[in-house]
Amino acid sequence: MERVEVLILNNNKKHTIFWTLLQHEDWKMHIAASEQGLCYVGSANMPYEEMEEWIRKHFRTSLLEQNDELMRPYADELAGYLEGRLVDFTISFDLMGTLFQKSVWDALCKIPYGQTCSYSEIAHLIGKPAAVRAVGTAIGANPVLISVPCHRVIGKNGTLTGYRGGLDMKIHLLELEKSNA
């Protein structure tokens, strides 16, 4: 049975999750961070409620506060990536997930910029070759699109598969990397 990490919050202290709206060309994405790092990158052009629902589910006792200035380092790196100026992210993350999910997300970060990998290759990389479907589920639960590059994962036969941000967003990100690699 898989061990699940549980975050126990001091009931007397409310934690704050900060957010901002990142605008790039015709995309608008809500992003959020805790004191530990980036914890959420939303799909392009999705409403605020998508982010709010995710934050409420994963950071139950937290306050949600817009703070464009505090979020600037995260927004700047994401914008740099979207403009083709940034290949590797240096920002910190606060990823809420199981140990299995975190192992998958760590493996995603090892896929080189401009390259792709299949779900089965990720399963092999984390030492769980029979867990291809579970890998797909973990990839779908990635809370920080783009910066943990789940868009670089494709089907075994080379086809583009689902993406929380939609296939148009995935295609755009892959083409961006291909043209800048």
Side-chain angles (χ1 to χ4, degrees), residues 7-114:
L7 176 65
I8 299 174
L9 298 174
N10 180 340
N11 289 335
N12 298 326
K13 182 179 178 193
K14 293 267 186 185
H15 295 269
T16 303
I17 303 296
F18 302 99
W19 71 274
T20 194
L21 181 63
L22 172 65
Q23 297 186 53
H24 176 75
E25 295 178 1
D26 57 350
W27 283 0
K28 294 179 181 177
M29 294 180 289
H30 291 91
I31 63 174
S34 70
E35 293 174 359
Q36 284 72 45
L38 188 68
C39 63
Y40 180 83
V41 175
S43 306
N45 303 319
M46 293 303 289
Y48 168 86
E49 289 78 17
E50 178 191 61
M51 176 191 65
E52 181 180 42
E53 180 181 323
W54 189 90
I55 297 295
R56 297 285 174 238
K57 180 178 177 185
H58 294 88
F59 293 88
R60 290 184 198 106
T61 64
S62 295
L63 302 171
L64 196 53
E65 176 186 313
Q66 184 173 5
N67 188 322
D68 300 335
E69 189 59 35
L70 193 132
M71 293 299 297
R72 185 171 314 283
Y74 304 106
D76 286 350
E77 283 211 8
L78 285 161
Y81 168 86
L82 293 169
E83 293 165 2
R85 297 181 289 108
L86 182 79
V87 173
D88 295 311
F89 289 91
T90 62
I91 53 178
S92 59
F93 297 99
D94 185 4
L95 301 177
M96 300 297 288
T98 65
L99 291 175
F100 179 81
Q101 288 172 324
K102 289 179 181 183
S103 71
V104 170
W105 301 336
D106 183 54
L108 296 177
C109 292
K110 293 176 181 159
I111 304 170
Y113 183 92

Side-chain angles (χ1 to χ4, degrees), residues 103-147:
S103 71
V104 170
W105 301 336
D106 183 54
L108 296 177
C109 292
K110 293 176 181 159
I111 304 170
Y113 183 92
Q115 296 183 28
T116 58
C117 193
S118 72
Y119 292 90
S120 58
E121 288 172 314
I122 296 293
H124 278 79
L125 188 61
I126 65 167
K128 306 257 186 205
V132 177
R133 286 188 183 201
V135 163
T137 300
I139 290 171
N142 172 19
V144 285
L145 297 181
I146 302 170
S147 45

